[in-house]
Amino acid sequence: MRRTIILWGSLIVFLSGLLSACAPSPQRVQVAIFLTQTAWTPIPTQTPYPTYTRYPTATRYPTYTPYPTYTKVLPTSTPTPSPTLPFTPQTIGPVWDTLHNTSYSVEVSLTNVRWLERGIHREPKTGNTFVIVDLVVKNLGPGSINNFGPGFFKVLDANGVLKEDDYTSDVEDCHVDYVDLMPNGVLSGCLLFEVPQAGHLELIFAPYQYEPLKPGRYLSFILRP
């Protein structure tokens, strides 16, 4: 820095002598004064940029732990005893159909009885169970059975209650639908009923659907003594 000042001083002396030798004028004097003033002004020191600070490393979220799988524990119960199979086929008729002015006779056979403590998508009420009855119906003629279906069957429990069938997904592949059964026609399928877990139980086939049960006008199968 000192060396630079000495060089600037020598340059100024040289220029002053040169101006004196060359007929100095007011303009030259002003130039010399300007050079003298600016020559001694040091260049300001440059302030360096601050050092870059990196962002802290991100902390990862903890690994997700799944909830344990819930396992439903179903209570166990004593299965309802099944009746002795096979059942003897029963026949009724002739049955007079006043609506269609015809008559027919019917043979009904039970091929199996199944008891379910619970269904696939439904459970019976407390104190009840499901019973599925597999059956075969044959029209012995001479007339047709019009609109034949589940309404011809009911269950009778120990309390004297008649109950119609309950449709669930457990019997969707074999459930008896309403059909017209021609002479010598045969229909097989199944019906499901929700019944008490204990006590006497009968399956009733009643072709005279709109009148009380009268001896000789319906069939009865003992499902549980």
Side-chain angles (χ1 to χ4, degrees), residues 2 16-17 24 47-49 76 85 88 97 105 110 112 130 136 151-152 163 175 183 187 210 213:
R2 184 175 180 180
S16 299
T47 303
Y49 289 102
T76 57
L85 297 176
T88 302
D97 184 353
S105 294
L110 268 61
N112 195 18
F130 291 134
V136 177
F152 284 69
K163 299 186 66 175
H175 188 259
L187 176 67
Y210 305 107
L213 296 180

Side-chain angles (χ1 to χ4, degrees), residues 80-81 83 115 127-129 131 155-160 195-203 221-225:
T80 306
W115 303 89
N128 287 354
T129 188
V131 58
V155 289
L156 177 64
D157 63 23
N159 298 317
V195 298
Q197 288 182 339
H200 181 79
L201 195 66
E202 298 180 42
L203 177 70
F221 298 85
I222 305 300
L223 302 180
R224 190 169 57 202

Side-chain angles (χ1 to χ4, degrees), residues 44-58:
T45 304
Q46 184 178 7
T47 303
Y49 289 102
T51 305
Y52 171 71
T53 303
R54 296 183 61 184
Y55 286 101
T57 303

Side-chain angles (χ1 to χ4, degrees), residues 27-95:
Q27 291 79 6
R28 295 192 181 96
V29 173
Q30 291 178 358
V31 171
I33 293 173
F34 173 76
L35 292 175
T36 303
Q37 292 176 350
T38 57
W40 297 97
T41 303
I43 299 174
T45 304
Q46 184 178 7
T47 303
Y49 289 102
T51 305
Y52 171 71
T53 303
R54 296 183 61 184
Y55 286 101
T57 303
T59 303
R60 297 183 61 185
Y61 288 102
T63 304
Y64 170 73
T65 302
Y67 288 101
T69 303
Y70 172 73
T71 302
K72 183 178 181 182
V73 180
L74 298 174
T76 57
S77 59
T78 303
T80 306
S82 300
T84 303
L85 297 176
F87 290 92
T88 302
Q90 299 187 38
T91 302
I92 187 172
V95 177

Side-chain angles (χ1 to χ4, degrees), residues 2-223:
R2 184 175 180 180
R3 183 178 179 181
T4 304
I5 295 174
I6 295 174
L7 291 176
W8 273 103
S10 301
L11 179 61
I12 293 171
V13 172
F14 172 76
L15 292 175
S16 299
L18 182 62
L19 292 174
S20 299
C22 299
S25 63
Q27 291 79 6
R28 295 192 181 96
V29 173
Q30 291 178 358
V31 171
I33 293 173
F34 173 76
L35 292 175
T36 303
Q37 292 176 350
T38 57
W40 297 97
T41 303
I43 299 174
T45 304
Q46 184 178 7
T47 303
Y49 289 102
T51 305
Y52 171 71
T53 303
R54 296 183 61 184
Y55 286 101
T57 303
T59 303
R60 297 183 61 185
Y61 288 102
T63 304
Y64 170 73
T65 302
Y67 288 101
T69 303
Y70 172 73
T71 302
K72 183 178 181 182
V73 180
L74 298 174
T76 57
S77 59
T78 303
T80 306
S82 300
T84 303
L85 297 176
F87 290 92
T88 302
Q90 299 187 38
T91 302
I92 187 172
V95 177
W96 180 254
D97 184 353
T98 57
L99 181 62
H100 300 91
N101 195 28
T102 186
S103 65
Y104 56 85
S105 294
V106 183
E107 181 185 86
V108 180
S109 302
L110 268 61
T111 59
N112 195 18
V113 176
R114 295 171 281 162
W115 303 89
L116 297 178
E117 297 178 3
R118 63 188 62 84
I120 299 176
H121 302 295
R122 176 185 160 193
E123 295 184 8
K125 297 178 181 178
T126 303
N128 287 354
T129 188
F130 291 134
V131 58
I132 299 177
V133 180
D134 297 295
L135 48 86
V136 177
V137 178
K138 181 177 181 180
N139 180 9
L140 303 177
S144 300
I145 308 177
N146 295 281
N147 201 30
F148 177 84
F152 284 69
F153 295 90
K154 294 179 175 60
V155 289
L156 177 64
D157 63 23
N159 298 317
V161 177
L162 279 172
K163 299 186 66 175
E164 296 183 351
D165 78 306
D166 292 282
Y167 178 82
T168 71
S169 57
D170 300 274
V171 293
E172 63 182 351
D173 295 332
C174 62
H175 188 259
V176 174
D177 295 322
Y178 281 94
V179 297
D180 290 335
L181 193 60
M182 306 300 289
N184 297 316
V186 178
L187 176 67
S188 61
C190 66
L191 295 172
L192 178 143
F193 301 89
E194 183 175 346
V195 298
Q197 288 182 339
H200 181 79
L201 195 66
E202 298 180 42
L203 177 70
I204 302 296
F205 174 74
Y208 299 99
Q209 303 178 59
Y210 305 107
E211 64 177 47
L213 296 180
K214 298 179 181 179
R217 296 175 70 84
Y218 68 92
L219 300 179
S220 174
F221 298 85
I222 305 300
L223 302 180

